[in-house]
Amino acid sequence: MSSSYDVRFWEVRRNQSSKTASYEVRWKVGGRQKSKTLRTKALAESFLSDLRQAAKRGEAFDTETGLPVSMSKAKSSVTWLTLVLAYIDMKWPHAAAKTRDSLTDALATVTPALVDESAAGKPDELVLREALRQYVLPPASRQLARPAGIAAAVTWLERHSLPVADLAKVRNVRLGLDALTTRLDGGAAAATTIARKRSVFYNVLQYAVDLEELPSNPIDKVKAWKPPKVREVVDRRVVVNPAQARELLVAVTYAGRLDRGRHLRAFFASLYFAGLRPEQAMDGQRRGAR
């Protein structure tokens, strides 16, 4: 692969040669002009942003495909698992610790669902998630020695992960979406957790679109799917009752100096009896002090 660091970009422009609305991304690698047409301006700008970020990171660009090295690696992928690894490698260097954790959490949830359903001997879900989270997805962990059970699970996953092209089918995407709604203990996941993981799933599929592995993001075709509503019930066993609350409010007055204890008592009493959030109670104290 011949590569070049000589890269130049132009702004996204409307494709005038097409009857339907589409937008063209144009750039030049080593003096060779490249272009890519996308359906919407937002998709075009997102693709251009990926290219610019790669150039900013100092990546070399393939003069044949016009893509940065990280994207060329992903484009040569065949299965969902290899696409995910390429996506992680592209995102990881400049992602914050919390973002990295969110990526591995979401992809360890969805990846075991995107496998050949007819394949026998699927490892336990707990083992697959541990293998992905601890040994496969984080780049620095891929060289670690793997216990026999983990190694067998990874081998099975590598053999039976769905081809990326199969994710153009809505039924396969539904498998991934449904996996996001369930916790490991079988209970329903929280709505915020589902939304966070769905966003990661969507972005990886969009990355496949950018690489022309998929014609469009298949999640956009899933119209009838909605995450299940989770009914949150307060567990009375972990809620402080009024008698306990009063005892705790007396106890907190002994914390630090006398004036500090009184402030803490007022603060926690506001939280308990008025149902305030901490910042609301603090704001009330500040207003009272004026």
Side-chain angles (χ1 to χ4, degrees):
M1 179 185 74
S2 60
S3 60
S4 174
Y5 293 93
D6 178 19
V7 186
R8 180 183 175 187
F9 304 101
W10 287 275
E11 294 299 320
V12 171
R13 70 178 182 183
R14 175 74 179 267
N15 184 8
Q16 301 297 332
S17 63
S18 175
K19 293 181 180 180
T20 57
S22 60
Y23 295 84
E24 187 178 17
V25 179
R26 297 172 300 138
W27 71 105
K28 186 180 289 187
V29 179
R32 302 174 66 175
Q33 189 165 329
K34 304 293 180 181
S35 67
K36 180 178 175 67
T37 301
L38 293 141
R39 184 167 45 86
T40 67
K41 188 174 183 180
L43 291 175
E45 289 178 342
S46 175
F47 179 68
L48 178 59
S49 175
D50 287 342
L51 296 178
R52 282 178 166 161
Q53 288 180 34
K56 190 175 181 180
R57 291 195 297 267
E59 284 192 40
F61 279 59
D62 181 359
T63 55
E64 291 298 323
T65 65
L67 297 175
V69 171
S70 60
M71 294 179 75
S72 295
K73 180 182 176 182
K75 187 169 177 59
S76 64
S77 65
V78 177
T79 68
W80 167 256
L81 178 61
T82 49
L83 176 71
V84 162
L85 294 180
Y87 179 81
I88 288 280
D89 290 344
M90 184 265 295
K91 287 287 187 182
W92 201 264
H94 301 278
K98 191 170 183 179
T99 301
R100 291 176 175 181
D101 183 70
S102 182
L103 284 173
T104 58
D105 183 31
L107 294 173
T109 301
V110 72
T111 299
L114 301 179
V115 295
D116 182 0
E117 294 176 281
S118 64
K122 184 177 181 179
D124 182 78
E125 192 78 16
L126 281 169
V127 177
L128 285 172
R129 288 205 193 182
E130 181 186 357
L132 288 163
R133 284 271 271 172
Q134 304 299 328
Y135 296 93
V136 177
L137 296 178
S141 300
R142 295 175 194 166
Q143 305 305 317
L144 297 176
R146 298 172 180 175
I150 295 293
V154 173
T155 299
W156 187 93
L157 196 56
E158 289 172 341
R159 290 176 178 171
H160 301 293
S161 183
L162 285 178
V164 173
D166 283 5
L167 292 169
K169 301 174 183 177
V170 171
R171 65 180 180 85
N172 288 329
V173 177
R174 281 181 175 275
L175 294 174
L177 290 172
D178 289 342
L180 304 181
T181 66
T182 308
R183 301 196 309 259
L184 276 174
D185 62 5
T192 52
T193 301
I194 296 171
R196 173 176 56 81
K197 292 183 177 182
R198 181 189 180 279
S199 177
V200 174
F201 187 27
Y202 186 95
N203 289 337
V204 179
L205 290 171
Q206 187 58 49
Y207 191 56
V209 175
D210 292 345
L211 298 173
E212 299 181 345
E213 294 285 347
L214 291 171
S216 60
N217 197 314
I219 287 185
D220 293 334
K221 300 177 183 177
V222 184
K223 304 300 182 184
W225 185 88
K226 288 184 179 180
K229 293 183 178 180
V230 180
R231 183 182 178 185
E232 297 184 1
V233 179
V234 176
D235 187 349
R236 292 177 177 271
R237 295 172 297 177
V238 298
V239 177
V240 174
N241 63 45
Q244 292 171 327
R246 289 186 174 88
E247 291 179 7
L248 291 169
L249 290 174
V250 171
V252 82
T253 62
Y254 293 96
R257 302 188 310 271
L258 182 61
D259 57 341
R260 177 175 173 79
R262 288 173 177 171
H263 282 298
L264 289 174
R265 183 182 184 185
F267 174 73
F268 287 109
S270 298
L271 301 187
Y272 184 79
F273 292 109
L276 300 180
R277 295 192 298 272
E279 61 270 23
Q280 291 175 319
M282 292 295 293
D283 185 58
Q285 287 186 349
R286 285 193 294 266
R287 290 175 183 272
R290 291 176 184 173

